[in-house]
Amino acid sequence: MTNKMADTKTISALLTGLARRRYYNESEYTDEFLKSQIFPDSSDEEYASLLRRCSNYMKSMVSADMDFNQLEAFLTSQMKRREAAMTEEEASAYRKFWKVHKNKIHDTLVSKTNWNNSLKKVSWRIDVKSQAKNTENMNEPTAIVELQIENQHESQKADVVQFEMDENKLANVLQNMKDIEDQIVQYCQQ
């Protein structure tokens, strides 16, 4: 495919079509449809080569959930390749595509892999007891916590869970959260 045929606009259109089919479940964006709409004058071999290349680059970007610095490094490395190097115009199309679609693709993939309930919102406040059976429990602060839990696969309203914690229970929950964070950090560093 000549570079004139694969400009920023057409590469962007192809990437968008591929994303719509692969990540947004819009099955009407077949390879044949994309070719007829974007590259009607190119040969089947040229189109297949470009399609494979765009698909592979997009898979790399999505699987790494690249931020914009990572994307720049990735595109720079592709432009410096000896064989089949990416042009600056093509790189511009990938930047534009990723700026528009990164978050939506990420959110789509997350929602597809979330099988259970998810935490939608956390609200909390601190109350001080002004009445109690024992005077030693008076003026003792407690945390009132409200969690909104949502199941994406059921269209019903989110469940709300409310509970109260004293200082010791709150310290225990915070320690458990710290343990979870430590495990995640340890896993990410491997």
Side-chain angles (χ1 to χ4, degrees):
M1 184 167 295
T2 62
N3 284 339
K4 288 182 181 179
M5 293 182 77
D7 62 9
T8 302
K9 186 176 178 181
T10 57
I11 295 289
S12 292
L14 181 58
L15 290 170
T16 298
L18 290 172
R20 285 180 170 206
R21 179 178 69 208
R22 185 170 290 141
Y23 303 109
Y24 310 149
N25 296 324
E26 296 179 27
S27 58
E28 64 272 16
Y29 288 90
T30 63
D31 291 343
E32 295 77 23
F33 175 78
L34 293 172
K35 181 181 184 300
S36 71
Q37 297 297 308
I38 305 168
F39 299 103
D41 299 329
S42 67
S43 73
D44 289 344
E45 296 80 30
E46 289 174 329
Y47 176 70
S49 174
L50 180 65
L51 184 65
R52 201 170 30 257
R53 184 175 159 137
C54 287
S55 292
N56 289 339
Y57 288 153
M58 185 188 306
K59 283 179 190 174
S60 295
M61 293 161 55
V62 170
S63 65
D65 194 24
M66 291 183 187
D67 62 28
F68 293 102
N69 291 332
Q70 292 169 319
L71 177 66
E72 262 322 300
F74 174 71
L75 295 175
T76 300
S77 72
Q78 297 306 315
M79 288 188 290
K80 290 182 177 181
R81 290 176 55 179
R82 291 183 192 258
E83 291 182 26
M86 181 184 287
T87 66
E88 180 56 47
E89 199 169 17
E90 290 172 320
S92 177
Y94 284 94
R95 284 184 203 99
K96 178 181 173 187
F97 165 79
W98 200 235
K99 183 177 181 182
V100 172
H101 292 274
K102 178 191 184 328
N103 290 333
K104 188 174 179 185
I105 289 172
H106 174 81
D107 293 345
T108 300
L109 291 175
V110 167
S111 72
K112 285 180 181 179
T113 58
N114 189 4
W115 299 289
N116 294 320
N117 294 337
S118 60
L119 182 61
K120 193 71 177 167
K121 182 180 175 188
V122 176
S123 302
W124 60 273
R125 71 174 194 262
I126 302 297
D127 283 355
V128 177
K129 290 184 181 180
S130 60
Q131 293 181 349
K133 292 180 182 177
N134 301 331
T135 54
E136 59 193 39
N137 290 341
M138 287 192 51
N139 297 325
E140 188 174 299
T142 59
I144 310 293
V145 180
E146 180 178 284
L147 308 174
Q148 277 189 347
I149 301 169
E150 179 180 76
N151 186 332
Q152 295 180 354
H153 304 292
E154 296 177 16
S155 59
Q156 66 185 1
K157 210 167 75 172
D159 291 329
V160 176
V161 177
Q162 295 178 330
F163 56 93
E164 184 175 325
M165 293 187 287
D166 64 14
E167 186 177 0
N168 292 334
K169 289 178 185 174
L170 180 59
N172 188 24
V173 167
L174 292 174
Q175 182 57 50
N176 287 336
M177 291 296 178
K178 176 73 174 122
D179 293 344
I180 292 169
E181 179 185 25
D182 292 345
Q183 289 281 325
I184 290 172
V185 168
Q186 181 181 358
Y187 177 76
C188 291
Q189 292 175 348
Q190 292 178 353

